[in-house]
Amino acid sequence: MFEFLKNKLPQAQPQRVLHVGKNFSVPMSLYAQTGERDAILASSGMGKSYLTGVIIEQTLENNGIVLIIDPEGEHFTLAERYPMMIVGGEHGNLPLDEDAVDLYIEAMLEHGISAVFDLSDHVDEDQQHLYGVIAEHLFNLEQKYRTKVRLVVEEAQIYAPQRNGLGGKRKKGRKDPVQASQKIAKRGRKRAIDSLWATQRPASLNKDILSQCNRFWFGGITSEQDYKAIKPFLTEAGITFAHVKALKPGEFYYFGKGETRLLKVRKRLCQHAGATPEAFTNFNATTNNSLDQALSVLAEAVSSRAAMKQEEMSESKKLARVIMELENENARLQEELEQEKTATKVIERLGSKPPASRTRRKTGFQRMDELDGIDVNHLGMDDPTIEGGSGLSPTKINLDTKAVSTLEPQSITRPRAASTGTRPRTRRLMNAVPDEEF
């Protein structure tokens, strides 16, 4: 009877914990409302990657899902114990194709499969872009699925640097890794995204990321510059520079929920490729039906998308060729139009101006010819008061142009006007008349 009742009553679920060190575990229920945002800070060789691997293993042991950004190709060994998609790298079971990243992440969320994105074949600048693509797709797809995922970012100073290593300049179409990281750190919780940021250069990690973390793992730090960069966080935990300098590889100070603990990291369940990469030449990955099914579907989807992309590229090339031909034709027409404009201006200018022969200046003899027969009454030549002009009866001037050169200048003077007091004006008829425009 009691056995029957026992079977009918709901059974208490085992508490999920992060079993990280000897006699040390972190109950995950403490962070159910706030989410888990970890920072692992330690100098090179002090066990940072090893501790990262332990936390990943514990997440997988609790049936969690992880998405790992692996710049060194060290985390493929997880696949020997857990069904994993290894995207890219020497041990990958899927190619690292930027255009297929959304398919990979959607398969993760639909089938509950974890993935390692191995970026080790790419230089830092390309890694930053690929990371930005991955983080952006994860963030966007989690708005739909809301499936609990832990994003693990190794060598986080590459993807969330304090200063942009590209000097603020980024090629067109390239993703900004800092912006992607800040979006995950600040807004990931509401989309069921936990995060872990591991670095051997704390001074180079973006402080906006650190300020969002609610769990810290401080390993051995030998650089005073790195210590100063995280001193506020160490001070809050009651840890001094002398404390972290004295730590041995594999020893860490844990600080979370106001508690500081010293721990020794437990042994990993999977082999640690970061220490002995030559030991994995005969590596064999584990699998299950879900992974096999997902890999099969993904392989077909990636192939189909690649074919579509190839077709689009072919169409794009055709379109580019047509555009080039149209541009060349447009340039030719523009040149012809400019030539026509120039010709029109020349024609208009020739039509509006007289020929050059008509603009010739007149000589003095030509002006004298015009004076021949002119009526001089308006000059006062018939006025008997003009000196030398008394009784002058002719009112026409008849000149012999041949004899002009022998004439002496003559003065024709008007008497001073008594009322104005002005000087009498004198006109001279010169033997040559100044040239004048038409």
Side-chain angles (χ1 to χ4, degrees):
M1 177 178 177
F2 293 105
E3 188 67 27
F4 172 77
L5 290 175
K6 182 179 178 181
N7 293 334
K8 290 294 183 180
L9 292 173
Q11 300 297 308
Q13 297 296 322
Q15 186 180 26
R16 297 194 306 163
V17 298
L18 288 177
H19 177 53
V20 178
K22 297 178 180 178
N23 302 318
F24 180 79
S25 298
V26 179
M28 298 177 71
S29 59
L30 294 176
Y31 299 89
Q33 298 300 319
T34 61
E36 302 171 52
R37 295 179 297 281
D38 295 272
I40 300 178
L41 312 171
S43 297
S44 179
M46 301 305 292
K48 166 187 63 67
S49 293
Y50 199 95
L51 173 59
T52 300
V54 168
I55 294 178
I56 292 171
E57 289 174 351
Q58 281 302 125
T59 304
L60 295 171
E61 290 291 318
N62 289 319
N63 297 318
I65 303 173
V66 293
L67 190 160
I68 305 165
I69 304 298
D70 186 2
E72 300 294 342
E74 297 177 352
H75 290 286
F76 67 92
T77 58
L78 291 164
E80 69 183 1
R81 183 180 177 90
Y82 310 101
M84 301 282 294
M85 292 193 305
I86 309 296
V87 183
E90 182 182 355
H91 300 279
N93 49 26
L94 288 169
L96 180 52
D97 184 349
E98 178 183 337
D99 295 325
V101 167
D102 60 324
L103 296 177
Y104 299 153
I105 296 177
E106 193 159 20
M108 287 178 55
L109 302 177
E110 283 187 354
H111 298 280
I113 301 170
S114 295
V116 176
F117 283 84
D118 187 339
L119 310 184
S120 59
D121 291 337
H122 301 269
V123 297
D124 283 2
E125 183 178 347
D126 291 337
Q127 285 194 22
Q128 289 178 333
H129 169 68
L130 289 169
Y131 163 77
V133 172
I134 295 166
E136 184 177 271
H137 282 306
L138 174 63
F139 187 88
N140 292 337
L141 286 169
E142 278 289 51
Q143 295 187 83
K144 171 184 176 182
Y145 287 96
R146 307 285 170 148
T147 301
K148 191 76 166 178
V149 174
R150 186 188 299 278
L151 173 66
V152 177
V153 184
E154 274 270 36
E155 303 298 342
Q157 75 279 357
I158 297 175
Y159 313 108
Q162 177 62 21
R163 296 181 180 85
N164 193 333
L166 301 178
K169 298 180 180 179
R170 189 167 301 281
K171 294 179 182 178
K172 185 178 181 180
R174 308 288 280 185
K175 299 296 182 183
D176 184 349
V178 176
Q179 186 178 24
S181 297
Q182 291 175 338
K183 185 185 291 186
I184 293 289
K186 295 177 180 179
R187 300 167 58 193
R189 178 184 64 84
K190 293 183 178 181
R191 290 160 182 79
I193 303 174
D194 292 333
S195 56
L196 185 154
W197 313 85
T199 180
Q200 60 181 334
R201 290 298 314 278
S204 300
L205 182 60
N206 190 279
K207 299 306 176 288
D208 286 344
I209 303 299
L210 283 177
S211 66
Q212 296 297 318
C213 293
N214 54 11
R215 280 197 312 232
F216 291 87
W217 311 81
F218 301 108
I221 295 176
T222 56
S223 167
E224 187 172 356
Q225 181 182 6
D226 287 330
Y227 165 73
K228 289 180 178 179
I230 60 174
K231 183 177 179 181
F233 304 100
L234 289 167
T235 301
E236 185 179 356
I239 302 170
T240 66
F241 189 25
H243 287 143
V244 291
K245 283 183 69 175
L247 290 175
K248 298 177 182 179
E251 294 181 343
F252 283 82
Y253 281 105
Y254 162 81
F255 176 66
K257 296 293 183 181
E259 178 186 13
T260 302
R261 293 279 300 274
L262 177 62
L263 62 103
K264 176 73 174 177
V265 178
R266 68 158 174 82
K267 186 177 180 180
R268 286 195 58 178
L269 303 176
C270 301
Q271 299 182 72
H272 183 52
T276 54
E278 69 279 1
F280 305 100
T281 54
N282 297 318
F283 170 76
N284 291 315
T286 188
T287 185
N288 62 16
N289 292 335
S290 294
L291 178 61
D292 291 339
Q293 181 182 359
L295 292 176
S296 176
V297 171
L298 283 171
E300 185 176 345
V302 170
S303 177
S304 175
R305 183 171 288 188
M308 290 176 60
K309 184 178 180 182
Q310 187 66 29
E311 184 178 350
E312 289 175 357
M313 289 178 63
S314 178
E315 291 296 326
S316 297
K317 288 181 180 178
K318 292 180 182 178
L319 182 60
R321 186 166 57 252
V322 172
I323 291 173
M324 184 181 299
E325 292 174 356
L326 291 173
E327 288 178 344
N328 291 336
E329 178 67 12
N330 183 60
R332 185 184 65 79
L333 293 174
Q334 287 286 349
E335 185 178 356
E336 290 182 0
L337 180 61
E338 290 299 324
Q339 291 175 353
E340 289 182 3
K341 287 181 178 179
T342 302
T344 300
K345 289 180 179 179
V346 171
I347 293 171
E348 290 176 349
R349 189 172 297 174
L350 290 175
S352 62
K353 290 189 176 182
S357 60
R358 295 179 60 188
T359 61
R360 189 173 54 195
R361 296 169 66 88
K362 295 184 179 181
T363 65
F365 286 106
Q366 288 173 326
R367 295 289 289 128
M368 293 296 291
D369 289 341
E370 291 178 0
L371 289 173
D372 189 14
I374 194 170
D375 185 356
V376 295
N377 288 331
H378 65 286
L379 296 176
M381 297 288 291
D382 55 343
D383 190 342
T385 61
I386 298 178
E387 182 182 348
S390 177
L392 189 62
S393 59
T395 58
K396 299 287 184 179
I397 298 177
N398 294 298
L399 300 174
D400 183 355
T401 56
K402 295 180 181 179
V404 168
S405 59
T406 62
L407 296 176
E408 291 295 329
Q410 299 182 33
S411 296
I412 304 174
T413 306
R414 286 183 180 275
R416 181 186 302 273
S419 60
T420 60
T422 58
R423 292 181 58 184
R425 291 182 297 175
T426 301
R427 295 181 178 227
R428 282 185 175 275
L429 293 177
M430 306 298 294
N431 58 345
V433 179
D435 291 349
E436 185 175 308
E437 292 282 347
F438 232 161

